Amino acid sequence: MEEHLTVGRVAELAGVSVRTLHHYDEIGLVRPSARTAGGYRAYSAGDVERLREVLAHRRLGFGLREIADLVDDPATDAVARLRRLRGLLLEQRDRAAAMVTAIDEELEARAMGIRTTPEEQLTMFGAKLYDTIGSAYPATRRTEPRIAARVWDALGDARTVLNVGAGTGSYEPPDRDVTAVEPSAVMRAQRPAGAAPCVAAEAESLPFEDRTFDAAMAFSTVHHWRDPIAGLREMRRVARRVVVFTYDASDAGGRDRFWLARDYLPEFADLLVGRPSLADLTRAIGGRAEPVLIPWDCADGFFEAYWRRPEAYLEEPVRRAVSVWTRVGPEAERRAVNGLRDDLSSGRWAERNRDIVALDTAELGLCLLVA
């Protein structure tokens, strides 16, 4: 027999007030659908599952109307919603980790008698993940022309292009009318003079009317979005064509092919747990996925770019421009870098990866989504 929980018991277990539960009932957000033997209203297992989602989203800062739309989304089932919720919680964890890093840096500075300015203190605590890594972008994150050609070709004859999660402006086609969207103030500040106009907004809530643009593009940014599926649907809403450069989080074989994640940074796999699969992403835009091979001398220093240049991962500026290192934390980073340094010195890396040193390109799970 299914167990039913009384309103009081649910309030006690969930750490909320009975008044809160009554309010959710009144507005139709979570209504107890069962009855106890004594005739009192009670929560069924399904009601509790719904309440759990509501409370989790509430604690992430969502409004009640937003939550209702999320938990009633007809395009998702319970498992998909749990995966999305997990992704949101991981993003919150990443932001908290960035703040911890900022605190550690300030403690280190204070130990040396250095006091940060009020402006620096506010910047540290208000920073998003991209604000933590963004200052390193100009040194190593540049447009790779061979990948850019694939992106621009996929844009077809589009004249007006929206670049979502635009960062500092890499990969924006110079011969089209581009509008950029970027939530990070640090990244916006580093856009070069003459770059496309940039709007401070997030992918999940684009401030444009339906079909405003011929095409919408996103390059190596989807994994930073609070809700990738919602962001992709927004791109599809505002544009007739969608082009996205991203990573196949469901491709375990691809992760095994990249020696850095396989041999030195197993925590990378943990970052992908709960992320939407490639099928989910392509379904969100109604498109297809095309693999993108990475050249050995790739000019853009994203995580996989140095697959044939392992010494690059020993360089601090290279790592600081890649969010993976911030997300796995300093302990995992130190262990990976020390292990790689030892293996390069001993020749173990060369022996283990002798099959790739003659390759010009490698398939590492990166792809273009086109719709």
Side-chain angles (χ1 to χ4, degrees), residues 27 108 113 126 133 158 163-164 166 216 221 230 240-241 280 284 303-304 313-314 358-359:
I27 64 175
E108 232 178 90
I133 65 175
N163 186 15
V164 182
T221 178
R240 297 172 180 83
R241 190 171 185 83
D280 291 333
F303 182 56
E304 300 86 355
Y313 294 107
L314 304 181
L359 298 179

Side-chain angles (χ1 to χ4, degrees), residues 208-228:
F208 306 105
E209 298 294 330
D210 294 0
R211 297 301 178 96
T212 299
F213 302 93
D214 294 332
M217 61 175 282
F219 192 93
S220 197
T221 178
V222 172
H223 54 288
H224 290 293
W225 296 355
R226 176 168 49 86
D227 186 340

